[in-house]
Amino acid sequence: MRKSFVAGNWKMNTDVNSGVKLAEGVVSGCNDLAGKIDIAVCPPFVYLQQVGKALQTSHIALGSQDIYFEQKGAFTGEISASMLKDVGCTYAICGHSERRHVIGETDDLINKKVQAAITGGILPIFCVGELLDERKANKTAEVVTRQMKKGLAGLTEEKMAAVTVAYEPVWAIGTGLTATPQQAQEVHALIRKLLAEMFDRKIADTIRIQYGGSVKPDNARELMNQEDVDGLLVGGASLKADDFVAIVKASV
Ligand code: 13P
């Protein structure tokens, strides 16, 4: 019912040549999957255009790793939704844990970004997830609930339909420590329940919830086998075309 959606978040990696080569590898590896699964790659801002060219004739979508909420003007260093649209982006990651915890983004700022993305015609991949200390203190549900309620505050049902939610437990990101399929399913089910409470059953049933955090070719399938895991947001393993393609294929 929900079409699987796998996205690669390249983070602050690649250069022009390696980024284009990586995109070409993903295109050729996923050539035969058109219509079966949604796929996106999210390179650094400065490589969006060249990577976008490499994706042009394919069914692979382009996404950015961030977005700013203002439309234009004196916001040095920031990138607006219309700029992202202009270079061919379909998606923008909003509120990634590295932006929350390294750069210091707040729930309120992330909410503005999600709103601005949708208004500007960009589909947000809205990220939530708890820190290790929060999990240890049994605060996972509390933290994820707060992030969901504040991050998606003020969205209408119609706008919400544009959103993909990504659950990325911070302790699993880049650590090789993947959440077990059961741990992922538990939080994904909570997120779906929250979507039903905050919006309605239809939204809860149709919104895709990705899992992210040390996803690899050998754990992708069992994560995807969980009822409420509808896709994957892949960091490190998306930097190797073969690994990313294997993850995509395991998710169809
Ligand atoms: P890793 O796959 O490298 O753990 O990163 C996950 C992530 O943060 C994707 O957005």
Side-chain angles (χ1 to χ4, degrees):
M1 191 180 57
R2 291 181 292 268
K3 195 189 215 181
S4 302
F5 175 27
V6 175
N9 174 8
W10 295 0
K11 308 194 179 182
M12 201 170 73
N13 293 297
T14 70
D15 52 25
V16 174
N17 287 331
S18 62
V20 167
K21 277 215 177 79
L22 177 53
E24 287 169 351
V26 174
V27 169
S28 68
C30 297
N31 213 4
D32 51 341
L33 300 176
K36 294 184 183 154
I37 182 166
D38 288 339
I39 307 167
V41 295
C42 306
F45 282 131
V46 287
Y47 306 134
L48 282 169
Q49 274 184 284
Q50 271 112 330
V51 169
K53 270 192 201 137
L55 302 177
Q56 221 159 39
T57 56
S58 78
H59 60 105
I60 320 279
L62 187 66
S64 66
Q65 298 173 18
D66 189 24
I67 186 169
Y68 196 58
F69 65 87
E70 295 285 1
Q71 288 179 21
K72 63 175 183 168
F75 304 101
T76 303
E78 297 297 337
I79 305 287
S80 68
S82 64
M83 291 172 175
L84 294 175
K85 265 210 102 61
D86 197 25
V87 296
C89 278
T90 301
Y91 299 96
I93 299 173
C94 296
H96 188 276
S97 80
E98 284 140 24
R99 298 212 58 88
R100 288 179 187 269
H101 300 294
V102 182
I103 317 286
E105 290 193 3
T106 62
D107 289 313
D108 292 341
L109 174 60
I110 295 161
N111 177 247
K112 287 185 184 160
K113 292 185 172 194
V114 170
Q115 299 259 18
I118 300 168
T119 305
I122 297 283
L123 307 175
I125 300 174
F126 166 67
C127 303
V128 298
E130 81 287 3
L131 296 162
L132 182 59
D133 284 349
E134 293 165 339
R135 174 158 283 262
K136 282 185 177 159
N138 283 323
K139 291 203 168 139
T140 300
E142 182 187 320
V143 170
V144 170
T145 301
R146 188 205 74 225
Q147 292 172 334
M148 287 286 294
K149 293 210 163 149
K150 292 199 165 175
L152 300 174
L155 289 189
T156 58
E157 271 92 6
E158 195 188 350
K159 283 192 167 173
M160 189 58 209
V163 176
T164 297
V165 179
Y167 169 56
E168 298 205 300
V170 182
W171 48 272
I173 295 178
T175 58
L177 238 169
T178 320
T180 64
Q182 293 70 29
Q183 284 173 323
Q185 169 57 27
E186 196 180 325
V187 180
H188 282 232
L190 166 71
I191 291 170
R192 208 172 298 288
K193 184 171 136 264
L194 288 167
L195 289 171
E197 283 167 18
M198 293 162 59
F199 301 96
D200 59 28
R201 191 69 251 166
K202 184 163 164 268
I203 290 289
D205 286 341
T206 49
I207 293 291
R208 294 178 295 189
I209 308 172
Q210 295 176 321
Y211 167 81
S214 299
V215 174
K216 302 278 180 290
D218 62 3
N219 61 24
R221 195 180 299 271
E222 57 172 355
L223 287 158
M224 285 299 292
N225 278 344
Q226 301 304 305
E227 189 183 339
D228 290 299
V229 178
D230 310 310
L232 301 166
L233 184 53
V234 187
S238 72
L239 295 172
K240 286 190 189 146
D242 289 352
D243 283 356
F244 186 66
V245 169
I247 290 168
V248 170
K249 291 198 163 162
S251 306
V252 174

